[in-house]
Amino acid sequence: MLSVPLGRLVAFCSNRAITVVLAFAILVGGAVFASYTQLGVTTDTGMMFSSDLPWKQRSDEMGRLFPQKQDQLVAVIDAVLPEEAQQTAIDLAARLKNDHVHFNYVTTPQTDPYLVRNGLMFLDPKALDRVLDTTITAQPFLGQLAADPSGRGLFGALSMIALGIEHGEGDLKGFQSALSGFATTLEHAAQGHPETMSWERLLAGDLADLGGKYQFVVTQPKLDYDSFQPGGAAADAMRDAARDLPFVKSGRAHIHITGDIQIADEEFATVAEGMVAGLLGSLVLVTLWLVLAVHTWRLIAPIIITLVAGLLLTTGFAALAVGKLNLISVAFAILFVGIAVDFAIQFCVRFRAQSLPDGGVPSLHDALERTGNETGHQILVAATATSAGFLAFTPTAFVGVAQLGLIAGFGMIFAFVCTLTLLPALLRIFRPTSGHGAVGFVAARPIDISIRHHRKPILGVFACLALLGAGLIPTLTFDADPLHTKNPKSEGMVTLGMLMSEPQYSPYSVDVLMHSLDQAHVMSDRLSQLPLVHDALWLGSLVPSDQTTKLPMIQDAANIMLPTLIVPNPKPAPDANALREAAAKTAADLGGVLDKLAPNDPLRQIQSTLARLSHADDQTILATNEALVHFLPMQLDMLRTMLQAKPVSISDVPPILANDYLLPDGRALVEVHPTKEMTGNAALHRYVGEIQKIAPTAAGSAIDIVESAATMVHAFVMAACAAIVMIGIILSVALRRLLDSALVLAPLLLSALMTVILIVFVPEQLNFANIIALPLLLGVGVSFNIYFVMNWRAGVKMPLSSPTARAVLFSALTTGTAFGSLAASHHPGTASMGRLLLLSLACTLVATLVFVPALLPKRAIDEE
């Protein structure tokens, strides 16, 4: 038996307390140094899976081939007017392009000259016909503005409208909406509240937003991997550059930052906040429960010091073993505190109960050695079995939990060593007293007796619960979407939510790499037919379709429009007097045709406002001029450019756009986006399944999510089976009886099945963050059950009123408060982790404190 050697080890360490403490101080110092110099954290969820997985290899290869699509920081500009958003994007990009300290490259995709020049050709024929008809109808109006792009020219154009109405040629039915918008803008300016007018909306109407309501500045920042937020400096530089832009300062434009870098940085900040707060909260609340468990600071202080020392040693091991923690393995600290404190509580509660047969109090040395004899082998078996349960996850392809299993597995060994070496040495230094007799729950004796008398009904209830849990297992679903575990209130996620209403901005894209452009074209056509696919873009998608139909339409409009739009020498800007004179003339012209206008015609309001403006002060009239024509030159330039469209082919697509779809070796990419109807995990799986039937080697974010879910589930099934086998072997060696091993494993399986019931009925969605409840369930469950079974073997009659039950309950409370602090986190993944850990712990505690006492076979001594 190991009880005597372990008792002697405890006595040895207590006799050399100062030496042991100094030795641990040196070890802990080394661990802290290793942690400081070598330990890092990554929020990249792609790092949580083995690079040997086929789907992961395809994903990594796609990132290598198209690096410009990786590590992006994106400014999304939302403005009152489309021109304000466009101008803000151009100005922001100009500033960022000069910042070579923080950015590798900066682009504004929507202002690319190729896309602007062919803007009309990207419309479908019906929409193009509407735009061209409106533009041609407005030709005299626009010609006047091209010659005089000012308020004076605009007022002159309105005089032409009045002339047309006077001669019965003013059919303005198609312009009522535009004139109403102009009338409102003019009225506000005349009242001293000028608002810039959108010429794009004035001319294109509802078609102005076909290209989307947002403008983008796409950057690839220079990342600082020595920082906890590698893209933080670049994001700050982007905010600083945007802060002084005119439309941002006025509040008419807003800049939101998103992209994988921004979301990853925010993810780490939120997770770190939750983990640090959870860890600090754990230590504080652990101290509170320790007061109730052992009552004296002479025991509490050694427990806390032992716990912190073990945690720091485990952290040092993590630095040397893995180097960089991921979003799952970073939770090892919470797991360590939750489980390791149980070992220390068990030891100290048993220590307080030590007394001599005659009722006397043993010496401190003898009390420690007796405690080591009594609990050492139990803690060893618990630590070994718990460690085996964690280490079973190490060989899996789910690197996130594999790392957690490795760190937590060795952490249990460190916890055991600290409990039987450092803790006795500290107790010798702090000199608490033993001999307190029964420190269990004496009031629990009636419950013990009742459970023994009603064993069969209790076991029957638990058998029904086990069957229900087993039946519900097929209904469990796993959500591997990393977006669902991120803080939805962070800037990056809020901005992404704004964009997700547009399929082309969906984060659930799929990439298919083909050997040639011809194959990409065929694949695009096939994928576009799938029900859940909105579009399948390839390089040819950047070439307007139906050019033979659209180009003649544009050319006809150009023949009419361009002669009046191209003005070599437009008039110079007018002064305030010229504007007042023009306003007065137009007011008079419109006043002469008021009898021919409908009562609600916007020209009536325009005439009235112009009459007032003709007497306005310089500031008002000049501000009105600026509001009316600020974006007119830009819109006229764009119209001239688009009317000069020419036939284009794939070879005309500029490299900056083509490189997103074509590799130098001729391989071509097809980028697939889902429809708006693709919501939820079931739809995501159908969407991916449809694509994989046609393109089995597809990659992309949607593929990663679905395949990672399958990888996680397979990893946990295999690891759970391996853990149970390993724990079973350890128990068989330690307990040497099949029955005793079964008595430990049965409540472990029962607590797992009860957890399934709660997951379904609470409900709680399984995800890659909260799935760590499974290894914790194994760890805590094995520890608690081993103590009761080994006490039963030692002849303990009333398990619930024993010191072990007290230690188990307060261990559960300390662990539960730690998980409760996680459940209160603002980070959804961390909060779901805390909630599921609490549910799992509750089931484990019920199984240990109710099921195990009922399950333990009756002995002769129980009948006495």
Side-chain angles (χ1 to χ4, degrees):
M1 292 291 293
L2 291 173
S3 57
V4 174
L6 291 176
R8 291 175 179 171
L9 174 64
V10 170
F12 177 85
C13 292
S14 67
N15 288 336
R16 294 161 177 80
I18 301 299
T19 302
V20 171
V21 171
L22 289 176
F24 268 94
I26 294 173
L27 289 173
V28 168
V32 170
F33 178 78
S35 301
Y36 179 77
T37 57
Q38 299 189 44
L39 189 63
V41 178
T42 177
T43 57
D44 184 359
T45 55
M47 298 290 289
M48 290 196 297
F49 299 94
S50 170
S51 58
D52 294 331
L53 293 166
W55 66 267
K56 186 66 169 57
Q57 290 177 340
R58 293 196 298 271
S59 179
D60 292 343
E61 177 70 0
M62 205 66 70
R64 186 186 67 80
L65 294 174
F66 298 97
Q68 69 273 24
K69 295 188 175 185
Q70 310 298 311
D71 299 335
Q72 290 186 337
L73 194 66
V74 182
V76 180
I77 296 94
D78 177 21
V80 178
L81 303 181
E83 292 97 333
E84 291 172 333
Q86 184 178 3
Q87 188 62 55
T88 301
I90 293 171
D91 293 345
L92 177 61
R95 293 193 178 191
L96 298 183
K97 285 178 180 178
N98 293 325
D99 185 353
H100 303 295
V101 174
H102 296 107
F103 299 96
N104 291 319
Y105 71 78
V106 178
T107 63
T108 51
Q110 289 154 300
T111 61
D112 183 88
Y114 171 85
L115 297 178
V116 172
R117 184 172 61 254
N118 297 294
L120 290 175
M121 286 208 293
F122 281 108
L123 297 173
D124 65 67
K126 289 184 178 180
L128 175 62
D129 188 53
R130 284 174 54 195
V131 170
L132 294 178
D133 279 350
T134 302
T135 305
I136 292 172
T137 304
Q139 186 267 340
F141 186 78
L142 293 174
Q144 174 76 16
L145 292 175
D148 186 1
S150 68
R152 179 182 56 202
L154 179 57
F155 300 157
L158 290 171
S159 292
M160 293 177 59
I161 292 177
L163 182 63
I165 294 173
E166 184 177 355
H167 290 85
E169 299 173 355
D171 184 7
L172 301 176
K173 290 181 180 179
F175 293 92
Q176 290 302 298
S177 176
L179 288 173
S180 294
F182 173 74
T184 300
T185 302
L186 191 66
E187 178 67 30
H188 288 170
Q191 293 174 355
H193 307 291
E195 296 177 359
T196 310
M197 187 168 66
S198 172
W199 285 90
E200 184 174 339
R201 286 180 179 164
L202 194 70
L203 296 176
D206 58 348
L207 296 176
D209 293 326
L210 278 180
K213 62 179 294 188
Y214 303 110
Q215 290 284 324
F216 301 91
V217 178
V218 180
T219 74
Q220 190 175 71
K222 293 182 178 179
L223 303 178
D224 178 12
Y225 289 104
D226 292 330
S227 169
F228 285 129
Q229 294 179 289
D236 289 341
M238 183 178 285
R239 293 188 184 95
D240 291 340
R243 192 172 292 119
D244 295 329
L245 297 178
F247 294 118
V248 174
K249 289 180 68 175
S250 67
R252 295 186 61 81
H254 302 279
I255 294 180
H256 316 274
I257 301 178
T258 188
D260 49 352
I261 291 298
Q262 176 70 9
I263 291 175
D265 283 354
E266 292 171 342
E267 177 83 345
F268 174 78
T270 313
V271 169
E273 176 188 353
M275 288 300 175
V276 171
L279 182 57
L280 294 177
S282 299
L283 293 175
V284 172
L285 292 171
V286 161
T287 303
L288 173 64
W289 291 120
L290 287 176
V291 171
L292 299 176
V294 297
H295 298 300
T296 172
W297 69 271
R298 295 180 183 274
L299 287 173
I300 295 172
I303 291 175
I304 295 295
I305 294 172
T306 302
L307 197 61
V308 172
L311 178 59
L312 293 176
L313 289 174
T314 305
T315 306
F317 169 79
L320 297 176
V322 302
K324 186 170 288 188
L325 301 174
N326 56 58
L327 290 176
I328 291 181
S329 60
V330 74
F332 81 89
I334 300 295
L335 294 187
F336 181 90
V337 171
I339 299 178
V341 72
D342 170 62
F343 301 161
I345 290 177
Q346 287 289 342
F347 190 96
C348 290
V349 168
R350 303 283 188 90
F351 168 79
R352 290 192 75 237
Q354 294 301 324
S355 61
L356 298 174
D358 61 1
V361 178
S363 66
L364 180 59
H365 174 273
D366 290 343
L368 288 171
E369 184 170 4
R370 287 160 63 96
T371 303
N373 289 336
E374 183 180 316
T375 65
H377 63 297
Q378 292 186 1
I379 296 175
L380 174 61
V381 174
T384 307
T386 304
S387 178
F390 282 126
L391 291 174
F393 289 83
T394 303
T396 66
F398 188 10
V399 176
V401 172
Q403 278 190 6
L404 178 67
L406 177 67
I407 299 168
F410 276 88
M412 294 302 97
I413 304 302
F414 294 141
F416 166 74
V417 172
C418 289
T419 302
L420 265 66
T421 57
L422 179 60
L423 182 58
L426 292 170
L427 292 175
R428 186 63 177 267
I429 294 173
F430 282 85
R431 306 190 68 80
T433 59
S434 60
H436 295 274
V439 294
F441 298 115
V442 177
R445 289 179 66 86
I447 302 176
D448 265 320
I449 295 172
S450 178
I451 289 177
R452 299 303 294 175
H453 285 172
H454 301 88
R455 290 182 66 228
K456 291 183 179 179
I458 292 174
L459 293 177
V461 170
F462 280 112
C464 292
L465 290 175
L467 291 174
L468 176 61
L472 290 175
I473 289 177
T475 67
L476 293 178
T477 58
F478 189 88
D479 182 5
D481 190 342
L483 295 181
H484 294 167
T485 61
K486 301 183 189 301
N487 182 3
K489 297 182 179 179
S490 67
E491 181 182 9
M493 287 299 296
V494 169
T495 306
L496 184 61
M498 291 164 43
L499 301 178
M500 285 180 65
S501 61
E502 299 295 332
Q504 65 266 35
Y505 307 135
S506 171
Y508 306 110
S509 61
V510 173
D511 298 326
V512 182
L513 193 60
M514 306 303 295
H515 292 293
S516 67
L517 279 173
D518 290 339
Q519 291 183 3
H521 188 185
V522 173
M523 179 59 71
S524 172
D525 290 341
R526 293 183 63 189
L527 293 174
S528 298
Q529 305 304 314
L530 296 177
L532 289 176
V533 170
H534 176 267
D535 58 60
L537 304 179
W538 66 295
L539 183 57
S541 302
L542 298 179
V543 179
S545 59
D546 297 328
Q547 293 187 42
T548 55
T549 301
K550 298 174 185 176
L551 278 171
M553 296 168 62
I554 296 173
Q555 185 60 53
D556 289 343
N559 291 335
I560 298 172
M561 298 293 300
L562 287 180
T564 56
L565 289 179
I566 299 177
V567 180
N569 298 302
K571 290 183 178 181
D575 57 17
N577 288 329
L579 288 169
R580 277 191 287 265
E581 291 175 3
K585 180 179 184 306
T586 303
D589 292 342
L590 288 173
V593 295
L594 289 179
D595 58 328
K596 298 182 179 181
L597 299 177
N600 60 346
D601 195 302
L603 285 174
R604 289 180 175 273
Q605 182 182 357
I606 293 172
Q607 189 275 336
S608 173
T609 306
L610 287 174
R612 294 203 312 275
L613 278 174
S614 65
H615 303 288
D617 58 67
D618 289 2
Q619 182 179 353
T620 300
I621 195 71
L622 290 174
T624 300
N625 178 72
E626 174 66 16
L628 292 176
V629 300
H630 181 84
F631 291 118
L632 177 60
M634 181 173 72
Q635 195 63 35
L636 290 174
D637 286 343
M638 188 177 300
L639 181 58
R640 294 184 192 101
T641 300
M642 290 190 293
L643 287 173
Q644 298 179 67
K646 292 180 172 53
V648 292
S649 63
I650 285 180
S651 61
D652 297 311
V653 178
I656 193 171
L657 299 176
N659 290 341
D660 285 346
Y661 296 94
L662 185 65
L663 295 173
D665 60 8
R667 285 182 293 174
L669 182 71
V670 180
E671 186 176 84
V672 187
H673 301 114
T675 62
K676 294 181 181 179
E677 291 73 24
M678 205 269 330
T679 57
N681 281 317
L684 179 62
H685 280 74
R686 288 198 305 273
Y687 165 68
V688 169
E690 290 175 356
I691 293 174
Q692 287 182 323
K693 288 179 182 178
I694 299 175
T697 60
S701 58
I703 301 290
D704 291 348
I705 292 171
V706 171
E707 293 290 355
S708 62
T711 301
M712 292 179 200
V713 172
H714 180 265
F716 271 93
V717 170
M718 299 302 295
C721 293
I724 293 173
V725 171
M726 292 171 65
I727 292 172
I729 293 173
I730 291 172
L731 293 176
S732 298
V733 172
L735 303 179
R736 300 182 181 179
R737 288 199 304 184
L738 182 61
L739 173 62
D740 295 356
S741 300
L743 291 175
V744 175
L745 290 174
L748 192 63
L749 297 177
L750 174 66
S751 58
L753 294 173
M754 289 195 297
T755 302
V756 170
I757 296 174
L758 291 181
I759 290 173
V760 173
F761 286 103
V762 167
E764 186 66 50
Q765 177 66 58
L766 289 174
N767 56 55
F768 74 82
N770 64 28
I771 199 69
I772 68 166
L774 179 56
L776 178 98
L777 174 67
L778 295 175
V780 174
V782 167
S783 297
F784 289 177
N785 298 337
I786 283 175
Y787 300 140
F788 275 83
V789 172
M790 295 186 77
N791 283 348
W792 172 77
R793 280 176 46 136
V796 174
K797 295 182 181 180
M798 300 291 178
L800 295 184
S801 56
S802 68
T804 298
R806 181 185 185 88
V808 164
L809 179 61
F810 281 103
S811 294
L813 288 174
T814 55
T815 305
T817 51
F819 299 157
S821 65
L822 292 181
S825 170
H826 296 297
H827 182 262
T830 303
S832 70
M833 180 194 306
R835 291 193 301 269
L836 192 53
L837 287 171
L838 280 174
L839 296 177
S840 172
L841 180 64
C843 293
T844 299
L845 198 59
V846 169
T848 300
L849 297 182
V850 181
F851 178 65
V852 171
L855 185 65
L856 294 174
K858 288 187 176 181
R859 302 160 296 183
I861 58 174
D862 295 327
E863 301 295 334
E864 298 176 0

